[in-house]
Amino acid sequence: MATLRTEPLNLAGRRILICRPEPEASRLALQFQAAGAETHVFPLVQREPLPETPERRTTLLSLDEFSHVIAVSPYAARLLLEELDTWWPQLPVGLNWYGVGAGTAKALAEYGLRPHKPDDGWTSEALLELPALAHLEGERVLVARGEEGRELTRRTLEERGARVTVLPLYRRFCPDYTAAEVHRALDQFAPDAVIALSGETLNNLIALSANCSHNLNDRPVIVPARRIADQARTAGFNAPCIPGSLADNDIVAAVAEQLAGRDGGSGKAK
C-alpha cells in the first residue's frame, strides 16, 4: 500500500542508477529528478513481443472457455489485451481477471476491466492468497506472462485443481552493452543507490559488474520482494531494501529513507 507523505523528498546531490526496462525506467527517472537527484537510466532487461503462433491464436480464440485470466505484469496485460482486441471486439462475459500487483491491475482497468489484485503485496505469493483462487477444481486458468518465468503460480493453481494454460507473450533479455557503457554506468557515475526490480535484473547487474571496480555492494539496492533481497545478500550486497510498494513515489521514498539513514537523517550528500 502506498505511503502518505507530507514533506517533500530531498535527494539533491544523489546519483541513482535505474536498471528497469523502458519506458518504466525513464518515468521513474523523472520522479527522482523531481526530488533533486541525478539519474542514469541503464536498463538491464529488455523486452520484445514474441511472434504470433497458431497455438497462441487458438488459445486466444478459446478465451470464453476460461474462468480466470491472470496477467503477471503490466507489459503482459497490455500485450494480451492488444491481441484480444483483434479477435474479441467484445470480451466474453463472466471472466475473472487478475493482476499481480497494482500496476498490472491498473493496466487491466484502463481497458475497462475490474481486475482482482492483492490488497497487500505485489508478488505471485500475494496473488495466490486471494480467496477467488483458493478452490479451482476443474476450472480453466489462463496465465499471460513472458517466455520464461516463475512456475509458482502455475504449479500452485494446478495443485488446487485448476487446468492451467501458460500463454507466453514476450521474451526478456539483457541488452548488449559495451565495456565502456558498463564502466560509465557503474564506475564513472558511481551511484548512491541502485534500482533493480526483478531477480533477472539483479542477476544481470551482478554479471555485468563482475569486472568493474565499483563499490555497489555497499550501496542500497532496491528490490521487489524478500526472495530477491535474499538473493542480493547472497551475492554480496549489504543493503537490499524492499519499498512500501512498486509505485514510483514509494520507490523514491525508499531510496530517500535509506540514504537519509546513512547520513544521520539529513537525506543529503555529505
Side-chain angles (χ1 to χ4, degrees):
M1 184 177 295
T3 304
L4 295 177
R5 282 173 292 277
T6 57
E7 297 182 1
L9 298 173
N10 184 358
L11 286 169
R14 295 303 199 178
R15 297 177 302 278
I16 313 300
L17 182 67
I18 301 175
C19 300
R20 300 187 79 178
E22 289 285 24
E24 293 90 338
S26 291
R27 187 191 69 210
L28 179 59
L30 291 176
Q31 287 280 103
F32 274 108
Q33 291 162 16
E38 181 182 351
T39 60
H40 187 98
V41 171
F42 189 60
L44 290 181
V45 171
Q46 191 168 331
R47 303 168 301 204
E48 66 178 13
L50 292 170
E52 185 186 80
T53 64
E55 294 79 11
R56 192 165 88 198
R57 188 182 315 120
T58 298
T59 297
L60 294 174
L61 287 171
S62 64
L63 183 67
D64 56 342
E65 299 176 13
F66 290 87
S67 299
H68 309 271
V69 180
I70 298 171
V72 304
S73 68
Y75 190 63
R78 289 191 291 268
L79 288 179
L80 174 63
L81 293 171
E82 287 170 6
E83 279 204 51
L84 287 176
D85 196 49
T86 301
W87 307 109
W88 292 90
Q90 184 172 344
L91 290 173
V93 298
L95 286 175
N96 296 294
W97 296 84
Y98 303 82
V100 180
T104 307
K106 180 182 178 183
L108 294 170
E110 287 172 349
Y111 198 80
L113 301 171
R114 300 181 64 182
H116 303 270
K117 68 176 180 64
D119 291 330
D120 185 20
W122 50 87
T123 63
S124 298
E125 288 85 351
L127 180 81
L128 291 167
E129 292 293 324
L130 290 174
L133 295 175
H135 304 288
L136 299 168
E137 191 64 41
E139 296 186 39
R140 294 193 66 186
V141 180
L142 182 66
V143 179
R145 69 175 209 189
E147 189 173 39
E148 297 180 356
R150 297 181 69 197
E151 294 296 327
L152 176 68
T153 298
R154 178 194 60 77
R155 186 175 64 248
T156 302
L157 295 180
E158 287 179 345
E159 290 171 352
R160 296 175 182 178
R163 293 183 293 152
V164 180
T165 299
V166 172
L167 186 69
L169 294 172
Y170 58 96
R171 76 179 188 100
R172 297 181 296 267
F173 58 95
C174 184
D176 187 17
Y177 289 114
T178 66
E181 289 172 323
V182 174
H183 174 71
R184 187 179 309 119
L186 304 186
D187 293 332
Q188 291 183 345
F189 183 66
D192 294 303
V194 181
I195 313 300
L197 296 182
S198 73
E200 188 173 2
T201 298
L202 181 66
N203 284 335
N204 290 341
L205 175 65
I206 293 166
L208 287 177
S209 63
N211 296 320
C212 293
S213 59
H214 67 85
N215 59 350
L216 297 184
N217 287 1
D218 293 325
R219 308 299 186 186
V221 55
I222 306 301
V223 296
R226 180 170 297 178
R227 67 183 179 87
I228 310 300
D230 292 341
Q231 180 182 333
R233 290 190 187 92
T234 299
F237 289 92
N238 300 318
C241 171
I242 304 169
S245 84
L246 296 187
D248 290 350
N249 60 332
D250 279 341
I251 294 171
V252 176
V255 170
E257 182 178 357
Q258 289 292 306
L259 296 179
R262 288 167 170 254
D263 295 339
S266 71
K268 298 182 180 180
K270 289 188 174 182

